[in-house]
């Protein structure tokens, strides 16, 4: 492999934190530049270069590009569904202008050879087929986050078609991991529930029973992200964004999975504004194209994820108790 330098924008978020760790294992600490508006105290960021970057500041992005000459950029900075609803204008601005700055820099400097930018199940809407949601079908997102993701998909595809920028993207389901806190998503109850299981043994869910949503465990999300970025360009036949699936479940199903490990665990329901967001999203995604084009295959199902989440979170809480 030629010597690559990688820039991760929005590196302190739920996905970025883990991606920086994985990328540093592959490319070496010095070759992976982490950047975010504010550095988090996660030790992973002590292991290699970190730059302060507000992605709305295109000049600052330009300085970082000149300093490190990254050949690959993972642009992850965004406001997620629930947070963006609280400030829709800023959600649109950050999500869209951030993408413009990265794509324009790729076009105008020639430094960046490949761009990764995530889309989401939020790009679908109430008229999308809810079960086995196809790659191509109705897309009528109702949240500002989803609207920005759908527009961004088309925008990235436009840069590929018009200027040959090697853009790659996945429509992530809800992401679940234990290494970092999630940030303002509608699917994030499925992360909090594990923390609650190990502390109060009770979770009050902001979605009601029966709300089936597509989800993906972080090791699978990392694998998909690295696989699509490492696949030969000719295998990437979709330049808007690929459907991606791991598992689908409703709150009572994840609760039942936890109860197998912690029998005293209980769940209750207090749906709020996030219920309407969840109701506008698909339940089960058809990701056949990702499998056909670049060999996607997830490893974790719900029970395997539950066992792994609890195993990895437990020491964290035992250590806190011992303090
Ligand atoms: N996890 C995201 C959210 O809930 C969906 O992509 O906002």
């Amino acid at each position: 492999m030629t010597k690559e330098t990688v820039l991760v924008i929005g590196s302190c978020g739920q996905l970025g934190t883990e991606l920086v760790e994985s990328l540093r294992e592959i490319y070496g600490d010095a070759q992976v530049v982490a950047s975010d508006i504010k550095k988090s105290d996660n030790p992973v960021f002590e292991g290699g270069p970190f730059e302060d970057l507000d992605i709305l500041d295109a000049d600052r992005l330009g300085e970082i590009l000149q300093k490190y000459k990254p050949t690959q950029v993972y642009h992850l900075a965004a406001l997620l569904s629930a947070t963006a609803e609280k400030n829709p204008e800023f959600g649109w601005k950050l999500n869209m202008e951030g993408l413009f700055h990265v794509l324009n820099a790729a076009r105008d400097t020639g430094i960046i050879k490949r761009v990764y930018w995530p889309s989401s199940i939020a790009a679908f809407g109430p008229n999308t087929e809810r079960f086995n949601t196809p790659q191509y079908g109705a897309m009528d997102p109702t949240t500002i986050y989803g609207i920005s993701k759908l527009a961004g998909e088309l925008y990235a595809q436009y840069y590929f078609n018009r200027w040959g920028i090697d853009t790659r993207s996945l429509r992530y389901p809800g992401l679940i991991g234990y290494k970092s806190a999630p940030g303002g998503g509608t699917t994030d109850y499925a992360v909090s529930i594990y923390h609650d299981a190990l502390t109060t043994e009770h979770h009050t869910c902001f979605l009601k029973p029966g709300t089936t949503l597509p989800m993906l465990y972080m090791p699978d999300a990392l694998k998909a992200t690295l696989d699509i970025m490492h696949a030969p360009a000719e295998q990437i036949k979709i330049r808007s964004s690929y459907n991606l699936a791991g598992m689908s479940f409703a709150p009572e199903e994840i609760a039942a999975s936890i109860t197998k490990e912690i029998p005293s665990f209980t769940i209750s329901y207090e749906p709020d504004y996030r219920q309407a967001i969840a109701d506008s999203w698909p339940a089960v995604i058809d990701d056949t194209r990702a499998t056909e084009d670049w060999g996607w295959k997830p490893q974790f199902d719900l029970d395997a994820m539950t066992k792994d989440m609890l195993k990895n979170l437990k020491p964290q809480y035992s250590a806190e108790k011992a303090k």
Side-chain angles (χ1 to χ4, degrees):
M1 204 180 276
T2 50
K3 198 161 188 189
E4 301 268 353
T5 302
V6 185
L7 172 64
V8 181
I9 301 169
S11 64
C12 297
Q14 187 197 14
L15 179 66
T17 306
E18 301 212 21
L19 197 58
V20 167
E21 208 176 357
S22 300
L23 287 167
R24 285 190 172 153
E25 277 165 24
I26 298 170
Y27 294 103
D29 290 347
Q31 296 309 114
V32 178
V33 183
S35 70
D36 209 313
I37 196 156
K38 196 169 166 274
K39 191 175 180 179
S40 85
D41 55 11
N42 194 307
V44 69
F45 299 114
E46 301 308 322
F50 184 93
E51 295 287 341
D52 291 325
L53 172 62
D54 173 356
I55 195 54
L56 293 177
D57 184 348
D59 293 340
R60 176 76 184 123
L61 174 64
E63 282 169 21
I64 294 170
L65 295 181
Q66 291 306 330
K67 182 171 172 188
Y68 295 98
K69 304 265 189 306
T71 45
Q72 297 177 34
V73 171
Y74 290 76
H75 170 38
L76 311 176
L79 284 199
L80 292 190
S81 61
T83 318
E85 286 313 291
K86 293 190 178 141
N87 192 348
E89 280 173 31
F90 182 67
W92 175 260
K93 186 177 167 70
L94 179 72
N95 294 2
M96 294 313 296
E97 282 181 26
L99 181 61
F100 299 162
H101 291 164
V102 172
L103 292 177
N104 287 342
R107 180 192 60 194
D108 299 340
T109 65
I111 295 171
I112 305 166
K113 303 295 178 218
R114 196 171 292 177
V115 175
Y116 180 79
W117 171 84
S119 184
S120 149
I121 52 164
F124 298 112
N127 288 294
T128 299
E129 273 180 60
R130 274 197 74 221
F131 289 89
N132 294 328
T133 304
Q135 176 69 38
Y136 296 107
M139 298 187 81
D140 57 344
T142 54
T143 60
I144 202 69
Y145 171 70
I147 297 169
S148 73
K149 287 296 175 188
L150 180 55
E153 286 187 10
L154 299 173
Y155 207 84
Q157 177 178 254
Y158 180 82
Y159 272 58
F160 172 76
N161 288 334
R162 177 117 194 232
W163 288 295
I165 308 300
D166 187 354
T167 56
R168 305 180 180 205
S169 179
L170 299 169
R171 289 175 181 152
Y172 288 130
L175 299 183
I176 298 163
Y178 58 86
K179 288 193 184 166
S180 57
T186 301
T187 55
D188 291 342
Y189 87 87
V191 180
S192 314
I193 196 169
Y194 288 114
H195 291 266
D196 290 347
L198 288 166
T199 49
T200 58
E201 295 191 355
H202 179 80
H203 178 70
T204 307
C205 190
F206 57 71
L207 299 179
K208 61 186 184 193
T211 312
T212 301
L213 287 170
M215 301 279 186
L216 189 64
Y217 193 35
M218 192 58 87
D220 278 332
L222 291 169
K223 184 177 180 307
T225 308
L226 295 169
D227 282 357
I228 192 175
M229 278 297 269
H230 292 156
E234 61 277 11
Q235 277 176 239
I236 310 302
K237 301 201 175 92
I238 294 172
R239 294 294 179 158
S240 51
S241 192
Y242 276 89
N243 275 12
L244 188 75
M247 60 190 100
S248 283
F249 57 77
E252 69 277 18
E253 291 170 305
I254 187 172
S257 177
I258 292 172
T259 310
K260 287 182 201 164
E261 308 296 321
I262 304 173
S264 46
F265 176 73
T266 53
I267 185 167
S268 59
Y269 302 92
E270 282 178 22
D272 64 15
Y273 71 101
R274 288 167 282 196
Q275 184 66 46
I277 299 178
D279 287 343
S280 76
W281 290 351
V284 181
I285 302 283
D286 176 355
D287 62 356
T288 315
R289 288 298 305 268
T291 307
E292 286 171 358
D293 290 359
W294 43 273
W296 164 240
K297 195 174 179 299
Q299 284 172 348
F300 284 85
D301 63 12
L302 175 55
D303 284 342
M305 174 174 77
T306 295
K307 282 198 172 77
D308 205 60
M309 279 293 284
L310 294 174
K311 186 181 91 192
N312 283 288
L313 281 175
K314 214 177 214 163
Q316 193 177 310
Y317 287 109
S318 315
E320 268 170 31
K321 252 189 218 158
K323 271 182 203 166

